[in-house]
């Protein structure tokens, strides 16, 4: 079986290895690049996710593929001292930056867990919410990872997936393509000395399932209620999937 790594078809093992290389390479400059590429708008998208998570004090949250901890930090404030947020990611370099940033922000109670979304080392029915922001695109076996997310959710719990998508308007699409394949690799080369990883970013957005297809994958993974909403002219999409 072959899977996509950007526009290339590779073995699943090769995809996992190359995604690992991408994030090990960009970890140190990841946050700066996010601000530059999106002109800071990724912060608003993450706030949007936070609002939809509708957290209450005492809830338990798993932020999966949480990388450098942006989302975990936002959500930690909402669950209060009786709640818990776990930051999980497959990449040690991204997690190390995340742990340091959380500690710098005075947050010492978000445990970083190195884990593959496809095989979570976590008990069934443990979390009220699972969040994954800009992470699912990079996961090799997506149906397996979605089934794992469902497994660790409590009955009544909710998965929130924030991902890039493609604008629906054709005129905007061509501008977005020009930006993605022109500006992003150039900026990645300049700031992170790594144009290839940012070319992968642009390609992986285009090979990711469209929102309706992802809804189908969520139902197939056993979620009971699935919805999505687009933001920023369709550049990002938020999926909410509930377990009853
Ligand atoms: C684009 S970053 C997103 C980080 C963070 N969620 C954010 O929004 O800034 C994608 C993250 O997914 C992680 N990742 C990729 N494959 C994964 C997997 N199979 N399991 C867990 N994390 C994974 C990467 O290591 C990386 O930190």
């Amino acid at each position: 079986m072959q899977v996509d790594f950007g526009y290339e078809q590779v073995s699943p093992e090769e995809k996992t290895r190359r995604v690992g290389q991408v994030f090990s390479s960009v970890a140190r400059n990841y946050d700066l690049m996010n601000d530059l590429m999106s002109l800071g708008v990724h912060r608003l998208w993450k706030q949007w996710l936070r609002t939809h998570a509708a957290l209450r004090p005492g809830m338990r949250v798993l932020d999966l593929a949480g990388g450098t901890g942006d989302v975990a930090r936002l959500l930690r404030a909402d669950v209060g001292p009786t709640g818990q947020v776990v930051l999980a990611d497959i990449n040690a370099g991204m997690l190390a930056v995340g742990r340091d940033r959380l500690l710098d922000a005075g947050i010492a109670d978000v445990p970083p867990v190195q884990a593959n979304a496809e095989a979570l080392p976590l008990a069934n029915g443990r979390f009220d919410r699972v969040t994954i922001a800009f992470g699912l695109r990079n996961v090799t076996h997506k149906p397996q990872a979605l089934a794992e997310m469902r497994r660790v959710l409590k009955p009544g719990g909710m998965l929130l997936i924030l991902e890039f998508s493609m604008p629906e308007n054709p005129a905007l699409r061509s501008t977005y393509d020009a930006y993605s394949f022109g500006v992003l690799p150039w900026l990645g080369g300049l700031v992170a000395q790594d144009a290839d990883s940012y070319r992968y970013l642009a390609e992986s957005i285009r090979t990711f399932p469209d929102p309706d297809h992802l809804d189908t994958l969520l139902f197939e993974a056993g979620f009971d209620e699935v919805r999505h909403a687009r933001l920023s002219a369709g550049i990002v999409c938020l999926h909410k999937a509930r377990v009853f």
Side-chain angles (χ1 to χ4, degrees):
M1 186 187 75
Q2 297 282 94
V3 294
D4 56 82
F5 173 80
Y7 286 166
E8 281 181 67
Q9 289 293 303
V10 298
S11 70
E13 298 73 24
E14 176 70 358
K15 169 161 177 157
T16 305
R17 191 185 67 75
R18 287 173 71 176
V19 167
Q21 271 180 350
V22 163
F23 289 102
S24 297
S25 160
V26 304
R28 268 184 317 109
N29 294 296
Y30 177 80
D31 296 299
L32 173 62
M33 278 297 294
N34 271 357
D35 277 334
L36 293 174
M37 286 187 302
S38 72
L39 301 175
V41 175
H42 73 102
R43 293 165 188 259
L44 299 180
W45 296 331
K46 288 168 182 169
Q47 285 288 354
W48 190 48
L49 169 70
R50 176 192 196 174
T51 303
H52 280 269
L55 293 175
R56 293 187 299 278
M59 281 186 163
R60 282 194 182 146
V61 183
L62 171 65
D63 182 39
L64 197 49
T68 59
D70 267 4
V71 171
R73 196 176 66 247
L74 285 179
L75 303 186
R76 181 70 195 91
D78 294 342
V79 296
T82 55
Q84 190 188 32
V85 176
V86 174
L87 169 64
D89 198 284
I90 200 170
N91 189 287
M94 292 289 281
L95 270 185
V97 175
R99 183 201 53 220
D100 291 350
R101 287 182 73 218
L102 287 163
L103 290 175
D104 288 348
I107 300 169
D109 58 359
V110 171
V113 175
Q114 188 171 6
N116 186 342
E118 297 164 7
L120 294 172
L122 298 162
N124 293 356
R126 193 178 159 75
F127 295 97
D128 300 284
R129 300 284 184 266
V130 173
T131 55
I132 179 164
F134 308 114
L136 187 61
R137 210 169 9 96
N138 302 292
V139 172
T140 306
H141 300 286
K142 294 175 184 55
Q144 197 173 319
L146 295 175
E148 279 293 87
M149 295 175 210
R150 192 204 176 289
R151 181 182 66 76
V152 300
L153 275 168
K154 292 180 188 173
M158 181 164 63
L159 165 66
L160 295 105
I161 302 173
L162 186 64
E163 249 315 340
F164 288 114
S165 188
M166 289 299 290
E168 286 170 303
N169 179 311
L172 199 58
R173 237 174 214 250
S174 44
T175 311
Y176 188 55
D177 279 342
Y179 176 75
S180 304
F181 290 105
V183 178
L184 294 189
W186 170 78
L187 202 58
L190 194 72
V191 176
Q193 288 76 54
D194 184 355
D196 287 347
S197 290
Y198 287 90
R199 199 167 294 116
Y200 160 74
L201 164 68
E203 292 179 2
S204 66
I205 292 169
R206 283 147 183 89
T207 55
F208 187 66
D210 66 42
D212 290 335
H213 183 186
L214 182 52
D215 280 352
T216 303
L217 295 180
L218 284 161
F219 279 123
E220 286 172 0
F223 286 91
D224 299 298
E225 184 188 276
V226 176
R227 288 169 188 201
H228 70 255
R230 294 164 181 267
L231 196 72
S232 300
I235 287 172
V236 295
C237 188
L238 177 68
H239 291 256
K240 294 204 282 185
R242 278 196 177 273
V243 182
F244 294 143

